[in-house]
């Protein structure tokens, strides 16, 4: 890589970390003992503040400032801003993950805090939902659709991935649990006997 292209690569770095996060109406932020807590209509989330950054809340905006210089300062600033922006969106709007069950007899049913799944195994699978995550199985879907809702983006991603991992879509018939809108690459099945 030439010196000019290296210089160009350094100049096009993202500057998102410097942008303040707008706090929607009804969202409050508190800082104490190296922890940040964000409260909103959808719940309360807290986490440790990443190292090498300062957090300031002023006039309905949350800003992240690096405490070290150079590239590492920018990296920590960008990380902290992304985490706090996800928390802010989670407590104000929440996150939704939709999954589909594809296969004959594949069904989901909600009982108490557990999702009971029939996925072609010899036994039903029961998956407890973590705190802060709610699930719906729309009646019109006849048990083939699961809608997860929650404030914590990380927990939502983990539970959706866990659900999918119970029976990932297989490449021949496409049966399994998939995210809504997920395209599954299907392989052609074996054709009849080859000509001699």
């Amino acid at each position: 890589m030439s010196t000019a292209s290296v210089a160009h690569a350094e100049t096009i770095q993202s500057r998102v970390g410097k942008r303040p996060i707008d706090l929607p109406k009804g969202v409050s932020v508190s800082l104490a003992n190296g922890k940040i807590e964000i409260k909103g209509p959808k719940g309360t989330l807290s986490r440790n503040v990443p190292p090498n950054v300062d957090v300031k809340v002023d006039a309905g905006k949350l800003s992240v400032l690096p405490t070290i210089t150079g590239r590492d300062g920018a990296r920590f600033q960008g990380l902290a801003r992304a985490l706090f922006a996800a928390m802010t969106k989670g407590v104000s709007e929440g996150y939704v993950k939709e999954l589909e069950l594809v296969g004959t007899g594949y069904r989901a049913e909600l009982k108490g805090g557990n999702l009971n799944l029939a996925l072609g195994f010899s036994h039903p699978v029961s998956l407890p939902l973590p705190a802060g995550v709610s699930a719906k199985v729309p009646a019109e879907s006849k048990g083939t659709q699961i809608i997860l809702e929650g404030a914590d983006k990380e927990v939502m991603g983990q539970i959706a991935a866990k659900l999918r991992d119970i029976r990932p879509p297989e490449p021949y018939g496409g049966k399994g649990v998939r995210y809504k809108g997920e395209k599954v690459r299907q392989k052609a099945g074996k054709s009849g006997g080859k000509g001699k």
Side-chain angles (χ1 to χ4, degrees):
M1 195 182 269
S2 68
T3 313
S5 57
V6 169
H8 177 67
E10 287 177 1
T11 57
I12 57 168
Q13 287 178 6
S14 171
R15 296 283 181 264
V16 174
K18 293 181 178 180
R19 288 190 206 153
I21 301 163
D22 290 320
L23 298 174
K25 198 175 178 184
V27 173
S28 63
V29 178
S30 58
L31 294 154
N33 304 321
K35 274 196 161 189
I36 183 167
E37 187 177 85
I38 304 180
K39 284 185 187 176
K42 297 282 185 181
T44 303
L45 296 174
S46 66
R47 75 179 310 133
N48 290 327
V49 175
N52 305 318
V53 294
D54 267 344
V55 183
K56 287 200 167 68
V57 182
D58 186 38
K61 291 183 188 293
L62 188 153
S63 304
V64 180
L65 307 165
T67 56
I68 57 173
T69 55
R71 286 179 135 188
D72 283 341
R75 286 178 183 140
F76 280 112
Q77 183 185 34
L79 166 71
R81 197 229 178 244
L83 293 172
F84 301 156
M87 289 168 72
T88 303
K89 184 183 174 185
V91 299
S92 59
E93 301 169 30
Y95 288 96
V96 176
K97 289 263 185 195
E98 294 184 45
L99 297 108
E100 295 171 335
L101 279 56
V102 178
T104 308
Y106 285 19
R107 296 284 176 274
E109 185 187 20
L110 197 59
K111 274 194 179 174
N114 290 357
L115 262 175
N116 294 331
L117 307 160
L119 295 172
F121 297 118
S122 58
H123 56 281
V125 178
S126 182
L127 184 73
L129 293 171
V133 175
S134 64
K136 281 190 289 190
V137 179
E140 66 274 11
S141 74
K142 295 182 180 171
T144 60
Q145 194 179 4
I146 301 167
I147 300 171
L148 300 171
E149 292 180 22
D152 193 323
K153 188 179 182 180
E154 289 173 45
V155 172
M156 287 286 291
Q158 284 167 355
I159 191 71
K162 205 171 180 182
L163 263 168
R164 188 182 179 279
D165 283 347
I166 295 170
R167 192 103 196 198
E170 50 101 356
Y172 293 101
K175 285 187 197 174
V177 181
R178 62 176 77 176
Y179 300 118
K180 190 175 181 185
E182 179 183 357
K183 290 201 167 45
V184 177
R185 286 184 67 184
Q186 294 198 10
K187 296 179 181 176
K190 288 182 181 174
S191 54
K194 294 179 182 173
K196 290 178 183 177

